[in-house]
Amino acid sequence: MRLSTAEHLAVSEAVAAAEAATDGEIVTMIAPVSDAYRDVPPQYGLLAALLVPALVAIDPAFLPFTSDGWAAPDERLVLLGVMIMQVIAFLVVRYALARQSWRLWLTPRATKRRRVRARAIELFRVAAEQRTAQRVGVLLYVSTGERMAEIVADAAIHPKVPPERWGDAMAALISEVHDGRTGAGMVAAVGAIGAIIAEHFPKTDADTNELPDRLIEL
């Protein structure tokens, strides 16, 4: 889901307004997804393959060529059949999960949270870290595929603002995102972030706009 031109403009204006009261610099980014989750299909494929022997143990008739109960034509043939079905199960699941939406749905929330956080930190290091004279950059990162967001602060801000202080900004964002108004959520979050950093780094005459105000859509 890409934001409209009007939403881009609204977020950029919100950044400019928030920075008018602080020396801090706010960078906003939005991405469709934070990771390809390509490790998910093989994991579920392996699980499907491992289930085949269990199903055969429960009911030998699971093998299509089993004649009656455990009266298999040949033990070696049964073993070969199990191995073939394991390969088939693995491949079916592996390629069924080629769709990213299915991979996202099957990925545990904790895993998605870790990867969104890792991606946010990676982008912060590129876009904001050490790019301001006072080390007062803040990244607001939204990953729409996982429906998650992260706030990452630079060295000067981090020790002064405990993680829970960003809760208001996250709450403002999430409430709007869940209703399909991602742009409005980012605007609300930017305002909350600006208010927080203004408490510790109010606007001074020496401040310059060191980072772009525009929303970066990946």
Side-chain angles (χ1 to χ4, degrees), residues 51-64 66 68-70 82 85:
L51 284 175
V52 171
L55 292 173
V56 173
I58 294 171
D59 185 3
F62 181 74
L63 289 176
T66 304
D68 182 23
W70 284 103
V82 169
M85 293 189 69

Side-chain angles (χ1 to χ4, degrees), residues 148-162:
M148 294 178 180
E150 288 287 342
I151 297 173
V152 187
D154 212 337
I157 297 175
H158 184 70
K160 294 186 176 182
V161 182

Side-chain angles (χ1 to χ4, degrees), residues 18-93:
E19 292 179 353
T22 176
D23 281 357
E25 295 285 333
I26 302 172
V27 177
T28 55
M29 290 188 179
I30 185 169
V33 70
S34 292
D35 190 88
Y37 300 98
R38 299 196 185 280
D39 58 320
V40 173
Q43 291 175 9
Y44 278 94
L46 179 60
L47 177 61
L50 293 175
L51 284 175
V52 171
L55 292 173
V56 173
I58 294 171
D59 185 3
F62 181 74
L63 289 176
F65 53 78
T66 304
S67 60
D68 182 23
W70 284 103
D74 186 290
E75 290 183 357
R76 290 174 297 179
L77 188 59
V78 171
L79 179 58
L80 177 62
V82 169
M83 295 176 65
I84 291 174
M85 293 189 69
Q86 283 185 300
V87 172
I88 293 173
F90 177 86
L91 292 176
V92 167
V93 174

Side-chain angles (χ1 to χ4, degrees), residues 18-210:
E19 292 179 353
T22 176
D23 281 357
E25 295 285 333
I26 302 172
V27 177
T28 55
M29 290 188 179
I30 185 169
V33 70
S34 292
D35 190 88
Y37 300 98
R38 299 196 185 280
D39 58 320
V40 173
Q43 291 175 9
Y44 278 94
L46 179 60
L47 177 61
L50 293 175
L51 284 175
V52 171
L55 292 173
V56 173
I58 294 171
D59 185 3
F62 181 74
L63 289 176
F65 53 78
T66 304
S67 60
D68 182 23
W70 284 103
D74 186 290
E75 290 183 357
R76 290 174 297 179
L77 188 59
V78 171
L79 179 58
L80 177 62
V82 169
M83 295 176 65
I84 291 174
M85 293 189 69
Q86 283 185 300
V87 172
I88 293 173
F90 177 86
L91 292 176
V92 167
V93 174
R94 167 67 180 82
Y95 288 103
L97 295 181
R99 295 183 59 180
Q100 188 178 68
S101 59
W102 290 9
R103 297 199 300 270
L104 277 171
W105 184 71
L106 288 171
T107 301
R109 183 173 180 81
T111 300
K112 289 188 284 189
R113 170 60 65 194
R114 288 193 299 271
R115 297 191 185 182
V116 169
R117 178 66 179 176
R119 181 61 171 160
I121 292 173
E122 177 186 352
L123 292 171
F124 170 76
R125 288 172 176 165
V126 172
E129 188 177 33
Q130 300 184 18
R131 295 189 63 185
T132 59
Q134 300 184 61
R135 303 289 296 275
V136 288
V138 178
L139 170 66
L140 171 63
Y141 173 71
V142 177
S143 190
T144 57
E146 295 90 344
R147 300 175 68 87
M148 294 178 180
E150 288 287 342
I151 297 173
V152 187
D154 212 337
I157 297 175
H158 184 70
K160 294 186 176 182
V161 182
E164 57 269 18
R165 280 300 312 278
W166 304 118
D168 291 342
M170 295 298 291
L173 171 66
I174 292 171
S175 64
E176 295 287 354
V177 170
H178 282 178
D179 292 333
R181 297 187 295 270
T182 304
M186 295 191 74
V187 168
V190 166
I193 292 170
I196 292 171
I197 58 178
E199 297 175 10
H200 304 281
F201 300 93
K203 191 75 169 181
T204 63
D205 294 337
D207 179 60
T208 59
N209 191 15
E210 298 172 277

